[in-house]
Amino acid sequence: VSIFENKIYPNPTDGQFTLFSNYENGFVSIISISGTEVKTIEINSLITKVDISELENGIYWLKIQSVDGINRGVIEIIKE
């Protein structure tokens, strides 16, 4: 049983960050504060580089799902 939690660094970010996840296969949905899904990223590794530089500055949520669609965590991120 893994006690490692999903983490991101750096946070706040200028647009690029690294996701450290418990899951090698899955998806990350990036959701705006208004609840709109603005980007989806496939996870293929425990460490994933993510670029959200095209998004406006603000607060977003990263919803992490395993490949079977089970929610595996939500992380708040701030883009500056």
Side-chain angles (χ1 to χ4, degrees):
V1 174
S2 173
I3 59 170
F4 176 70
E5 295 179 24
N6 301 307
K7 296 183 184 202
I8 53 174
Y9 180 83
N11 189 15
T13 180
D14 62 359
Q16 297 185 356
F17 62 91
T18 303
L19 169 67
F20 302 90
S21 175
N22 291 337
Y23 305 95
E24 288 188 67
N25 296 302
F27 299 91
V28 174
S29 298
I30 300 175
I31 302 166
S32 70
I33 197 153
S34 66
T36 304
E37 185 176 300
V38 294
K39 188 170 187 170
T40 301
I41 299 154
E42 188 172 349
I43 300 172
N44 294 315
S45 172
L46 295 176
I47 300 172
T48 304
K49 301 280 186 183
V50 180
D51 185 355
I52 59 168
S53 58
E54 76 278 8
L55 301 179
E56 293 184 29
N57 290 351
I59 297 171
Y60 295 89
W61 290 287
L62 279 62
K63 185 169 107 175
I64 301 162
Q65 292 184 314
S66 58
V67 74
D68 56 6
I70 296 173
N71 186 12
R72 299 297 183 177
V74 176
I75 302 172
E76 181 178 280
I77 188 165
I78 300 169
K79 182 181 179 263
E80 298 183 324

